[in-house]
Amino acid sequence: EIKSLNQKTHDPYEETNKKQSLNILKTSISKLPEKQRTVLVLKEYNELTFEEIADVIRCPVSTVKSRLYKGLENLKQIYNSSN
């Protein structure tokens, strides 16, 4: 879903809506607790595996998965309240 917001369109109205949605998403991500934000960014933007993230932040894979799940849940709430 995040990647689809980056695709270009030829409809100016749709392009404006996508830019606004992307700005709201970026702002929403910035409001996440740091540990959740870090895992989310490493997974979704840097496309690291759970194991790679665990190595980077030096914690168990289960903790990475938990932080990602909680981060996505929080992100959804923050995004929806901003939209």
Side-chain angles (χ1 to χ4, degrees):
E1 188 172 297
I2 292 173
K3 293 176 184 171
S4 67
L5 291 174
N6 290 325
Q7 293 176 349
K8 296 289 183 190
T9 180
H10 297 291
D11 179 1
Y13 180 75
E14 187 177 338
E15 187 68 30
T16 299
N17 283 340
K18 283 185 179 184
K19 285 180 182 179
Q20 288 174 342
S21 293
L22 190 56
N23 285 335
I24 293 169
L25 180 61
K26 288 178 181 179
T27 300
S28 299
I29 290 170
S30 73
K31 292 179 180 179
L32 288 173
E34 183 179 356
K35 291 180 179 181
Q36 293 174 7
R37 184 176 60 247
T38 298
V39 170
L40 180 71
V41 168
L42 290 173
K43 182 72 176 151
E44 297 299 328
Y45 289 98
N46 295 72
E47 299 179 352
L48 298 183
T49 65
F50 290 121
E51 293 78 13
E52 290 169 330
I53 296 169
D55 286 343
V56 169
I57 63 174
R58 297 180 185 182
C59 71
V61 172
S62 59
T63 301
V64 172
K65 289 179 179 181
S66 175
R67 288 179 186 173
L68 180 63
Y69 175 78
K70 289 176 185 175
L72 290 172
E73 288 296 309
N74 285 337
L75 180 60
K76 183 167 61 171
Q77 290 177 357
I78 295 166
Y79 183 87
N80 287 337
S81 69
S82 301
N83 209 355

